[in-house]
Amino acid sequence: MIEKRSFESLGHADHGWLNARHHFSFANYYDPSRMGWGALRVWNDDEIGANSGFPPHPHRDMEIITYVRKGAITHQDSMGNTGRTEAGDVQVMSAGTGVRHAEYNLEPETTTLFQIWIEPKRTGGSPSWGAKPFPKGDRSGRFVTLASGFADEIEAGALPIRADARVLGATLKAGESIDYPLGPGRHAYLVPATGAVDVDGTALDARDGAALTGGETVRITAREDAELVMVDSE
């Protein structure tokens, strides 16, 4: 089963410096039919103005993944970590028992990113942070695991998260297809960052979302060159 969620139907908040779309209920946007999908709780599509950003604020018991699409984001946290994550790179933060962090766009242009929150498989634990590049060429025609809670995928290079979930990325040329076997009981949420695709015949344009139910293999075919991000969770 595929449930399409068009970009126009998403929650919207324009704060001037931040223009945000919410795939799931978040802040002042509330839709009881869009509270999450599996362990996925938040998928925000953020445009952050130049020389602005989120001042220090707290989190706990959440896995927070940031996928930068254009520009860069600079991270600071109460653990002493700092880092600049640019387009094509991914950062993860396990909030654990609690952490404060800030996210600033220190670039001279708007930064666009997906911020994804996944509920951990258990609460507590020391907070942690990490980031790394994932070259788009390595994802050509196939899904690459960007972040994962599964040991074998972490050993293969995925950033670690504390959830029964994985975050995947792929790029497709127009006309290319990719099959993804979604296991029984799993939930996937797919968003084309750019481009347009068909998912088992359902058309998605850039920044639309698709909620997929597990138990079958889905075929994703690019109608034009596309960059895909997907979460597969319990």
Side-chain angles (χ1 to χ4, degrees):
M1 186 181 74
I2 302 170
E3 180 188 342
K4 177 179 175 178
R5 300 178 179 181
S6 68
F7 180 74
E8 292 75 16
S9 75
L10 305 180
H12 185 214
D14 190 344
H15 303 283
W17 65 274
L18 170 66
N19 186 23
R21 296 279 180 167
H22 308 306
H23 284 260
F24 302 100
S25 295
F26 187 84
N28 293 327
Y29 166 61
Y30 175 72
D31 181 340
S33 69
R34 296 186 179 182
M35 296 302 295
W37 188 246
L40 175 62
R41 179 62 190 82
V42 169
W43 190 310
N44 288 345
D45 182 330
D46 290 344
E47 300 174 358
I48 305 169
N51 299 303
S52 65
F54 302 92
H57 57 282
H59 291 282
R60 67 175 299 160
D61 292 326
M62 193 65 70
E63 305 302 297
I64 298 173
I65 301 97
T66 304
Y67 181 97
V68 181
R69 292 149 45 210
K70 185 182 76 170
I73 199 77
T74 298
H75 168 96
Q76 303 169 359
D77 65 41
S78 55
M79 297 175 283
N81 297 305
T82 61
R84 178 179 177 273
T85 304
E86 61 184 35
D89 297 356
V90 178
Q91 70 171 13
V92 301
M93 187 175 72
S94 294
T97 54
V99 64
R100 290 180 63 83
H101 79 143
E103 301 287 346
Y104 294 113
N105 174 17
L106 302 180
E107 314 303 313
E109 62 175 350
T110 297
T111 286
T112 63
L113 54 81
F114 292 142
Q115 189 168 95
I116 296 164
W117 296 12
I118 300 173
E119 295 176 351
K121 57 187 173 185
R122 64 180 66 88
T123 59
S126 299
S128 64
W129 176 85
K132 65 178 291 185
F134 288 92
K136 292 181 183 177
D138 294 348
R139 302 180 241 157
S140 179
R142 67 188 185 106
F143 277 114
V144 168
T145 305
L146 311 175
S148 176
F150 302 102
D152 58 335
E153 294 172 344
I154 295 169
E155 290 174 4
L159 287 161
I161 55 175
R162 302 169 188 170
D164 288 327
R166 56 180 63 88
V167 182
L168 306 115
T171 60
L172 292 176
K173 297 291 187 183
E176 283 188 328
S177 294
I178 187 171
D179 291 336
Y180 186 79
L182 186 59
R186 305 290 293 180
H187 301 77
Y189 197 80
L190 172 70
V191 180
T194 61
V197 299
D198 288 333
V199 184
D200 282 349
T202 298
L204 299 182
D205 293 321
R207 302 161 78 183
D208 290 345
L212 313 176
T213 302
E216 59 185 52
T217 296
V218 294
R219 170 158 289 191
I220 303 159
T221 302
R223 289 184 281 124
E224 56 191 47
D225 291 359
E227 177 184 351
L228 308 176
V229 183
M230 184 166 69
V231 170
D232 173 351
S233 70
E234 60 182 351

